[in-house]
Amino acid sequence: MVRRVVDAIGPLAGELVVSVATSEMVSALRPILPEAAFSIDRRSDRGPIEGFRRGFDVAIGDRVLVAPCDAPLLRPELYRLFLRSLGRHECVVSKFDVFDPLRAIYRRPVVTRILRSDESIASPSALVDRLRCRFVDPDRIRAVDPDLSSFLDVNTQGDLDEVLARLERQSREGKRRDWRIDASGSP
């Protein structure tokens, strides 16, 4: 699953940092992601904001593309939209009824400064509240991700079954397109 996320947004990034809870997770993921640098949580009781703190400390670029590791249908077009939307803002975040701070782009220097100076920030959402943020609305998101597959997280067997079914449909549709190209000689 994490390999699919990396394959989707990795080409848009100059470096790959994977934030994990334990060193055992690094050992498990290194064979799958040999190109990655890893950040390991120092405190296990802090949730995703701890991953932000450690990951932003390891990252070196100006912009950090943040993605959840359990979103195997993530579309690179979503992050291209975010990159085009960043401008002078400190972050770009998708927003439906609520915003999603785990599918976003952040300015690393600003985020690092804020997280180092304020240990009381308890969540990525609380971090976004401290930043000059551009929120991307559902219509713009649907223009690049019509079925919102980038927002399907795999947390249950049912979620995994849905992802596998979507991938199977995409594979069949791709084969049909290939057959039409082969049969007619042009797309």
Side-chain angles (χ1 to χ4, degrees):
M1 209 172 338
V2 69
R3 179 79 251 173
R4 290 187 61 84
V5 172
V6 168
D7 290 346
I9 67 169
L12 303 174
E15 63 180 322
L16 172 62
V17 177
V18 178
S19 181
V20 296
T22 66
S23 58
E24 291 80 15
M25 294 175 84
V26 174
S27 299
L29 290 171
R30 184 151 325 273
I32 299 165
L33 303 170
E35 72 275 30
F38 289 89
S39 67
I40 302 169
D41 291 358
R42 289 191 188 138
R43 293 181 54 187
S44 62
D45 60 343
R46 303 196 91 191
I49 196 65
E50 181 68 7
F52 271 58
R53 287 181 195 285
R54 303 291 73 84
F56 277 80
D57 281 345
V58 172
I60 57 174
D62 176 61
R63 298 171 301 188
V64 175
L65 287 66
V66 173
C69 67
D70 62 352
L73 300 178
L74 205 61
R75 293 181 185 236
E77 295 83 2
L78 178 66
Y79 284 84
R80 286 187 189 102
L81 171 62
F82 290 168
L83 286 165
R84 288 191 308 270
S85 302
L86 185 59
R88 295 180 182 261
H89 290 85
E90 295 167 337
C91 67
V92 174
V93 176
S94 56
K95 184 173 184 182
F96 294 90
D97 293 333
V98 297
F99 61 85
D100 182 352
L102 300 182
R103 287 168 186 81
I105 294 179
Y106 296 88
R107 296 256 181 220
R108 188 192 53 78
V110 175
V111 170
T112 301
R113 180 177 37 79
I114 289 170
L115 290 176
R116 286 180 181 166
S117 67
D118 189 350
E119 284 286 323
S120 71
I121 297 173
S123 70
S125 296
L127 171 65
V128 169
D129 289 341
R130 307 271 309 269
L131 299 168
R132 284 184 307 109
C133 190
R134 173 168 282 163
F135 295 101
V136 179
D137 64 68
D139 290 338
R140 291 183 64 211
I141 293 168
R142 281 192 174 91
V144 298
D145 189 356
D147 64 357
L148 302 178
S149 59
S150 295
F151 297 88
L152 179 58
D153 294 338
V154 176
N155 296 310
T156 66
Q157 183 62 47
D159 296 339
L160 180 58
D161 293 343
E162 182 177 346
V163 165
L164 294 173
R166 285 187 187 201
L167 292 172
E168 177 62 27
R169 278 192 306 274
Q170 289 172 0
S171 176
R172 283 193 313 264
E173 289 169 5
K175 286 178 184 173
R176 275 183 275 184
R177 274 194 297 274
D178 292 346
W179 178 83
R180 281 180 281 183
I181 291 169
D182 292 342
S184 68
S186 63

Coordinates of all heavy atoms in Angstrom, one line a residue, residues 54-101:
R54 N 8.7 14.9 13.6 CA 9.9 14.1 13.2 C 10.1 14.2 11.7 O 11.2 14.4 11.2 CB 9.8 12.7 13.6 CG 9.6 12.5 15.1 CD 10.7 12.8 16.0 NE 11.0 14.2 16.2 CZ 10.5 15.0 17.1 NH1 9.5 14.6 17.9 NH2 10.8 16.3 17.3
G55 N 9.1 14.1 10.9 CA 9.2 14.1 9.4 C 9.7 15.4 8.9 O 10.6 15.5 8.0
F56 N 9.2 16.5 9.5 CA 9.6 17.8 9.0 C 11.0 18.1 9.5 O 11.7 18.9 8.8 CB 8.6 18.9 9.5 CG 7.4 19.1 8.6 CD1 6.4 18.2 8.7 CD2 7.4 20.1 7.7 CE1 5.3 18.3 7.9 CE2 6.3 20.3 6.9 CZ 5.2 19.4 7.0
D57 N 11.5 17.5 10.6 CA 12.9 17.7 11.0 C 13.8 17.0 10.0 O 14.9 17.4 9.8 CB 13.1 17.0 12.4 CG 12.6 18.0 13.5 OD1 12.4 19.2 13.3 OD2 12.5 17.5 14.7
V58 N 13.4 15.9 9.4 CA 14.2 15.1 8.5 C 14.2 15.7 7.1 O 15.2 15.7 6.4 CB 13.8 13.6 8.5 CG1 14.5 12.8 7.4 CG2 14.0 13.0 9.8
A59 N 13.1 16.2 6.7 CA 13.0 16.8 5.3 C 13.9 18.0 5.2 O 14.2 18.7 6.1 CB 11.5 17.2 5.1
I60 N 14.3 18.2 3.9 CA 15.2 19.3 3.7 C 14.7 20.3 2.6 O 15.1 21.5 2.6 CB 16.6 18.8 3.2 CG1 16.5 18.0 1.9 CG2 17.3 18.1 4.3 CD1 17.8 17.5 1.3
G61 N 13.6 20.0 1.9 CA 13.1 20.9 0.9 C 12.3 22.0 1.5 O 11.9 22.0 2.6
D62 N 11.9 22.9 0.6 CA 11.0 24.0 1.0 C 9.6 23.6 1.2 O 8.9 24.0 2.1 CB 11.1 25.2 0.0 CG 10.1 26.3 0.4 OD1 10.2 26.9 1.5 OD2 9.2 26.5 -0.4
R63 N 9.1 22.7 0.3 CA 7.7 22.2 0.3 C 7.7 20.8 0.7 O 8.5 20.0 0.2 CB 7.1 22.4 -1.1 CG 7.0 23.9 -1.5 CD 6.6 24.0 -2.9 NE 7.5 23.3 -3.7 CZ 7.5 23.4 -5.1 NH1 6.6 24.0 -5.7 NH2 8.4 22.7 -5.8
V64 N 6.8 20.4 1.6 CA 6.6 19.0 2.0 C 5.2 18.6 1.5 O 4.2 19.2 1.9 CB 6.8 18.9 3.5 CG1 6.5 17.5 3.9 CG2 8.2 19.3 3.9
L65 N 5.2 17.5 0.7 CA 3.9 16.9 0.3 C 3.6 15.8 1.4 O 4.4 14.9 1.6 CB 4.1 16.3 -1.1 CG 4.1 17.2 -2.3 CD1 5.4 18.1 -2.3 CD2 4.0 16.4 -3.5
V66 N 2.5 16.0 2.0 CA 2.1 15.0 3.1 C 1.0 14.1 2.5 O 0.0 14.6 1.9 CB 1.6 15.8 4.3 CG1 1.1 14.8 5.4 CG2 2.8 16.6 4.9
A67 N 1.1 12.8 2.7 CA 0.1 11.9 2.3 C 0.0 10.7 3.3 O 1.0 10.3 3.9 CB 0.5 11.3 0.9
P68 N -1.2 10.2 3.5 CA -1.3 9.1 4.4 C -0.8 7.8 3.7 O -1.0 7.6 2.5 CB -2.8 9.0 4.6 CG -3.4 9.7 3.4 CD -2.4 10.7 3.0
C69 N -0.2 6.9 4.4 CA 0.3 5.7 3.9 C -0.7 4.7 3.5 O -0.5 3.7 2.8 CB 1.4 5.1 4.8 SG 0.7 4.5 6.3
D70 N -2.0 4.9 4.0 CA -3.0 3.9 3.8 C -4.0 4.4 2.7 O -5.2 4.0 2.7 CB -3.8 3.6 5.1 CG -4.5 4.9 5.7 OD1 -4.2 6.0 5.2 OD2 -5.2 4.7 6.7
A71 N -3.6 5.2 1.8 CA -4.4 5.7 0.7 C -3.8 5.2 -0.7 O -3.2 6.0 -1.4 CB -4.5 7.2 0.7
P72 N -4.0 3.9 -1.0 CA -3.3 3.4 -2.2 C -3.9 3.9 -3.5 O -3.2 3.6 -4.6 CB -3.6 1.9 -2.0 CG -4.8 1.8 -1.3 CD -4.8 2.9 -0.3
L73 N -5.0 4.6 -3.5 CA -5.5 5.1 -4.8 C -5.3 6.6 -5.0 O -5.9 7.3 -5.8 CB -7.0 4.8 -4.9 CG -7.4 3.3 -4.8 CD1 -8.9 3.1 -4.9 CD2 -6.7 2.5 -6.0
L74 N -4.3 7.1 -4.2 CA -4.0 8.5 -4.3 C -3.6 8.9 -5.7 O -2.8 8.2 -6.4 CB -2.8 8.8 -3.3 CG -2.5 10.1 -2.8 CD1 -3.7 10.6 -1.9 CD2 -1.3 10.1 -1.9
R75 N -4.1 10.0 -6.2 CA -3.8 10.5 -7.5 C -2.8 11.6 -7.5 O -2.9 12.6 -6.8 CB -5.1 11.0 -8.2 CG -6.1 9.9 -8.4 CD -7.3 10.5 -9.1 NE -8.3 9.4 -9.2 CZ -8.9 9.1 -10.4 NH1 -8.5 9.7 -11.5 NH2 -9.8 8.2 -10.4
P76 N -1.8 11.5 -8.4 CA -0.8 12.6 -8.4 C -1.4 13.9 -8.9 O -0.9 15.0 -8.5 CB 0.2 12.1 -9.5 CG -0.4 10.9 -10.1 CD -1.5 10.4 -9.3
E77 N -2.5 13.9 -9.6 CA -3.1 15.1 -10.1 C -3.6 15.9 -8.9 O -3.6 17.2 -9.0 CB -4.3 14.8 -11.0 CG -4.0 14.1 -12.3 CD -3.8 12.6 -12.2 OE1 -4.0 12.0 -11.1 OE2 -3.4 11.9 -13.2
L78 N -4.0 15.3 -7.8 CA -4.4 16.0 -6.6 C -3.2 16.9 -6.1 O -3.4 18.1 -5.8 CB -4.9 15.1 -5.5 CG -5.3 15.7 -4.2 CD1 -6.6 16.6 -4.4 CD2 -5.6 14.6 -3.2
Y79 N -2.1 16.3 -6.1 CA -0.9 17.0 -5.5 C -0.4 18.0 -6.6 O 0.1 19.1 -6.2 CB 0.2 16.0 -5.1 CG -0.2 15.4 -3.8 CD1 -1.0 14.4 -3.7 CD2 0.2 16.0 -2.6 CE1 -1.4 13.8 -2.5 CE2 -0.1 15.5 -1.3 CZ -1.0 14.4 -1.3 OH -1.4 13.9 -0.1
R80 N -0.6 17.8 -7.8 CA -0.3 18.8 -8.8 C -1.2 20.0 -8.6 O -0.7 21.2 -8.7 CB -0.4 18.3 -10.2 CG 0.7 17.3 -10.6 CD 0.6 16.9 -12.1 NE 1.5 15.9 -12.4 CZ 1.2 14.6 -12.5 NH1 0.0 14.2 -12.5 NH2 2.1 13.7 -12.8
L81 N -2.4 19.8 -8.4 CA -3.4 20.9 -8.1 C -2.9 21.6 -6.8 O -2.9 22.9 -6.8 CB -4.8 20.3 -7.9 CG -5.8 21.3 -7.3 CD1 -6.1 22.4 -8.3 CD2 -7.1 20.5 -7.0
F82 N -2.5 20.9 -5.8 CA -2.0 21.6 -4.6 C -0.8 22.4 -4.9 O -0.7 23.6 -4.4 CB -1.6 20.6 -3.5 CG -2.8 19.8 -2.9 CD1 -2.6 18.7 -2.1 CD2 -4.1 20.2 -3.1 CE1 -3.6 18.0 -1.5 CE2 -5.2 19.6 -2.5 CZ -4.9 18.5 -1.7
L83 N 0.1 21.9 -5.7 CA 1.4 22.6 -6.0 C 1.0 23.9 -6.8 O 1.6 25.0 -6.5 CB 2.3 21.8 -6.8 CG 3.0 20.7 -6.0 CD1 3.7 19.7 -6.9 CD2 4.1 21.3 -5.1
R84 N 0.1 23.8 -7.7 CA -0.3 25.0 -8.5 C -1.0 26.0 -7.6 O -1.0 27.2 -7.9 CB -1.3 24.6 -9.6 CG -0.6 23.9 -10.8 CD -1.5 23.8 -12.0 NE -2.8 23.2 -11.7 CZ -3.1 21.9 -11.7 NH1 -2.2 21.1 -12.0 NH2 -4.3 21.5 -11.4
S85 N -1.6 25.6 -6.5 CA -2.4 26.4 -5.6 C -1.6 27.1 -4.5 O -2.1 28.0 -3.8 CB -3.6 25.6 -5.0 OG -4.4 25.0 -6.0
L86 N -0.4 26.6 -4.3 CA 0.3 27.1 -3.1 C 0.6 28.6 -3.1 O 0.4 29.2 -2.1 CB 1.6 26.2 -2.9 CG 2.5 26.5 -1.7 CD1 1.7 26.2 -0.4 CD2 3.7 25.7 -1.7
G87 N 1.1 29.1 -4.2 CA 1.4 30.5 -4.2 C 2.3 30.9 -3.0 O 3.3 30.3 -2.7
R88 N 1.9 32.0 -2.3 CA 2.6 32.5 -1.1 C 2.0 31.9 0.2 O 2.4 32.3 1.3 CB 2.6 34.0 -1.1 CG 3.3 34.6 -2.2 CD 3.3 36.1 -2.1 NE 3.9 36.7 -3.3 CZ 5.2 37.2 -3.2 NH1 5.9 37.1 -2.1 NH2 5.7 37.8 -4.3
H89 N 1.1 31.0 0.1 CA 0.5 30.4 1.3 C 1.5 29.5 2.0 O 2.5 29.0 1.4 CB -0.8 29.6 0.9 CG -1.9 30.5 0.5 ND1 -2.0 31.0 -0.8 CD2 -2.9 31.0 1.2 CE1 -3.1 31.8 -0.9 NE2 -3.6 31.8 0.3
E90 N 1.2 29.2 3.2 CA 2.1 28.3 4.0 C 1.6 26.8 3.9 O 2.4 25.9 4.3 CB 2.1 28.8 5.5 CG 2.8 30.1 5.6 CD 2.6 30.8 6.9 OE1 1.6 30.5 7.6 OE2 3.4 31.7 7.2
C91 N 0.4 26.6 3.4 CA 0.0 25.2 3.2 C -1.2 25.3 2.2 O -1.9 26.3 2.1 CB -0.4 24.5 4.5 SG -1.8 25.1 5.4
V92 N -1.4 24.1 1.6 CA -2.6 23.9 0.8 C -3.2 22.6 1.3 O -2.5 21.6 1.4 CB -2.3 23.8 -0.7 CG1 -3.5 23.4 -1.5 CG2 -1.7 25.0 -1.2
V93 N -4.5 22.6 1.6 CA -5.2 21.5 2.2 C -6.6 21.3 1.5 O -7.3 22.2 1.2 CB -5.4 21.8 3.7 CG1 -6.2 20.7 4.4 CG2 -4.1 22.0 4.4
S94 N -6.9 20.0 1.3 CA -8.2 19.7 0.7 C -9.3 20.0 1.8 O -9.1 19.8 3.0 CB -8.3 18.3 0.3 OG -7.9 17.4 1.3
K95 N -10.5 20.4 1.3 CA -11.5 20.7 2.3 C -12.9 20.3 1.7 O -13.3 20.8 0.7 CB -11.6 22.2 2.7 CG -12.6 22.5 3.7 CD -12.5 23.9 4.2 CE -13.5 24.1 5.3 NZ -13.5 25.5 5.8
F96 N -13.5 19.4 2.4 CA -14.9 19.1 2.1 C -15.7 19.7 3.3 O -15.7 20.9 3.4 CB -15.1 17.5 2.0 CG -14.3 17.0 0.8 CD1 -13.0 16.6 1.0 CD2 -14.9 16.9 -0.4 CE1 -12.3 16.1 -0.1 CE2 -14.3 16.4 -1.5 CZ -12.9 16.0 -1.4
D97 N -16.4 18.9 4.1 CA -17.1 19.5 5.2 C -16.1 20.0 6.3 O -16.3 20.9 7.0 CB -18.1 18.5 5.9 CG -19.2 18.2 4.9 OD1 -19.6 19.0 4.1 OD2 -19.8 17.1 5.1
V98 N -15.0 19.2 6.3 CA -13.9 19.6 7.2 C -12.6 19.5 6.3 O -12.6 18.9 5.2 CB -13.7 18.6 8.4 CG1 -15.0 18.8 9.3 CG2 -13.6 17.2 8.0
F99 N -11.5 20.0 6.8 CA -10.3 19.9 6.0 C -9.5 18.7 6.4 O -9.7 18.1 7.4 CB -9.4 21.2 6.1 CG -9.0 21.6 7.5 CD1 -7.8 21.0 8.0 CD2 -9.6 22.5 8.2 CE1 -7.3 21.4 9.2 CE2 -9.2 22.9 9.5 CZ -8.0 22.3 10.0
D100 N -8.7 18.3 5.4 CA -7.9 17.0 5.6 C -6.4 17.4 5.6 O -5.8 17.5 4.6 CB -8.2 16.1 4.4 CG -7.4 14.8 4.5 OD1 -6.6 14.6 5.4 OD2 -7.7 13.9 3.7
P101 N -5.8 17.5 6.8 CA -4.4 18.0 6.9 C -3.4 16.9 6.5 O -2.2 17.2 6.4 CB -4.3 18.3 8.4 CG -5.2 17.4 9.1 CD -6.4 17.3 8.1

